[in-house]
Amino acid sequence: MAEVVGPKSMPNFTSEWDGKPMPLWREEAKSPVMHGLLGVDLEKPAGEYEWKVSWAGTDGAAQSCEMKITVRTGKFPTERLKVEKQFVQPDPEQEKRAAEDQKKMKAIYDTVTPERYWDGKFRLPLKDVTTGGNFGRRRILNGESRSPHAGVDFPAMTGTAVFASQAGKVVIAENLYYSGNTVVIDHGYGIYTLYAHLSEIGVKPDEMVKAGEEIGKVGATGRVTGPHLHWGLTINHARVNAMQIAQRQP
Ligand SMILES: [Zn+2]
């Protein structure tokens, strides 16, 4: 969580994290405090990166302020799983579908909605759960190395209700090759939550949902070893551990 305290009006204010725009918001229009979430992708190499804010001073001259932030290497276990062959060696047709899904997701994450749809804390997406696992695990599927696990898994029975973590706008509500029946919610300011492998989808694209509203049911669609909910959190393209947003007020 990043915070900037300054005059109520900072003309031409911009914020950049590692050279890319990082949006900040004010809790109230007149508040002198701005907040932002500084997302560190799970595959970001260790090193020092810069967070920089710039604005125009009272005399109109450009002002800026930088801060170095150290990213350390995360320690994640490796696991070996067995899944259906088509999810490790897709045929050309399936490969094409997966590539199209990826393109669609990228276009969504490239969009930063300059509006705060959420209000209050983000909640876990299932009732009566307090822990979720597997974030960051390095994965070997059917003996082949694959990208690390970018979400949090909650084992649950097929048909268990899945709830929106916070208010937002549904931007994906369809079947995708690897993540099966998938819902993605745009919460604004580059913050997105994803709910994958659903047996049923209960919302439609462009629909506004409230925090805690039911959006679908747990299932085992797509690349899975059994029924569970895969919950993802993306902050300005960075795939981060969703459990962390449920532990504090963004
Ligand atoms: Zn998962």
Side-chain angles (χ1 to χ4, degrees), residues 118-148:
W118 80 92
D119 185 15
K121 251 183 130 166
F122 279 67
R123 316 147 183 219
L124 297 184
L126 299 180
K127 243 187 206 136
D128 302 325
V129 296
T130 50
T131 53
N134 296 349
F135 180 78
R137 286 190 174 210
R138 274 39 187 168
R139 288 202 149 160
I140 297 171
L141 304 179
N142 301 358
E144 293 187 29
S145 172
R146 285 294 178 271
S147 45

Side-chain angles (χ1 to χ4, degrees), residues 149 153 228 230:
H149 187 251
D153 289 333
H228 72 283
H230 172 105

Side-chain angles (χ1 to χ4, degrees), residues 194-209:
L194 172 144
Y195 311 76
H197 311 307
L198 306 174
S199 56
E200 280 174 46
I201 293 177
V203 287
K204 291 193 175 65
D206 293 332
E207 196 176 321
M208 298 302 296
V209 292

Side-chain angles (χ1 to χ4, degrees), residues 151-178:
V152 176
D153 289 333
F154 298 95
M157 277 183 358
T158 294
T160 305
V162 175
F163 304 100
S165 174
Q166 249 301 338
K169 186 184 189 177
V170 175
V171 285
I172 288 262
E174 63 178 90
N175 185 273
L176 302 178
Y177 188 67
Y178 286 112

